Short mmCIF file of all heavy atoms in Angstrom, two decimals:
data_model
loop_
_atom_site.label_atom_id
_atom_site.label_comp_id
_atom_site.label_asym_id
_atom_site.label_seq_id
_atom_site.Cartn_x
_atom_site.Cartn_y
_atom_site.Cartn_z
N ARG A 929 -65.72 30.15 66.22
CA ARG A 929 -66.51 29.37 65.35
C ARG A 929 -65.93 28.01 65.11
O ARG A 929 -64.74 27.80 65.39
CB ARG A 929 -66.81 30.03 64.05
CG ARG A 929 -65.54 30.28 63.21
CD ARG A 929 -65.90 31.08 61.94
NE ARG A 929 -64.73 31.36 61.15
CZ ARG A 929 -64.04 30.52 60.39
NH1 ARG A 929 -64.46 29.28 60.22
NH2 ARG A 929 -62.99 30.86 59.76
N ASN A 938 -53.62 11.88 55.58
CA ASN A 938 -53.04 10.99 54.58
C ASN A 938 -53.24 11.54 53.13
O ASN A 938 -52.77 10.84 52.23
CB ASN A 938 -53.69 9.63 54.69
CG ASN A 938 -55.21 9.63 54.45
OD1 ASN A 938 -55.79 10.66 54.16
ND2 ASN A 938 -55.84 8.52 54.52
N HIS A 953 -48.64 16.12 50.90
CA HIS A 953 -49.65 15.52 50.16
C HIS A 953 -50.41 16.53 49.18
O HIS A 953 -51.39 16.23 48.57
CB HIS A 953 -50.75 14.88 51.08
CG HIS A 953 -50.17 13.76 51.81
ND1 HIS A 953 -49.79 12.54 51.26
CD2 HIS A 953 -49.93 13.66 53.13
CE1 HIS A 953 -49.35 11.72 52.18
NE2 HIS A 953 -49.35 12.37 53.39
N ALA A 957 -53.38 15.86 46.37
CA ALA A 957 -54.77 16.35 46.69
C ALA A 957 -55.28 17.25 45.62
O ALA A 957 -56.46 17.19 45.20
CB ALA A 957 -54.68 17.06 48.05
N LEU A 958 -54.42 18.20 45.12
CA LEU A 958 -54.90 19.08 44.03
C LEU A 958 -55.18 18.31 42.75
O LEU A 958 -56.13 18.65 42.09
CB LEU A 958 -53.81 20.16 43.80
CG LEU A 958 -53.69 21.18 44.91
CD1 LEU A 958 -52.44 22.09 44.65
CD2 LEU A 958 -54.90 22.00 45.05
N GLY A 968 -57.13 22.99 51.25
CA GLY A 968 -56.24 23.84 52.10
C GLY A 968 -55.00 23.03 52.38
O GLY A 968 -54.98 21.84 52.26
N PHE A 1029 -53.13 37.72 69.08
CA PHE A 1029 -54.28 37.59 68.11
C PHE A 1029 -54.36 38.85 67.22
O PHE A 1029 -54.41 38.74 65.99
CB PHE A 1029 -55.65 37.40 68.91
CG PHE A 1029 -56.82 37.37 68.02
CD1 PHE A 1029 -57.01 36.28 67.21
CD2 PHE A 1029 -57.73 38.40 67.96
CE1 PHE A 1029 -58.11 36.19 66.37
CE2 PHE A 1029 -58.81 38.32 67.15
CZ PHE A 1029 -59.04 37.21 66.34
#
Side-chain angles (χ1 to χ4, degrees):
R929 64 182 176 80
N938 61 1
H953 296 290
L958 290 172
F1029 179 70

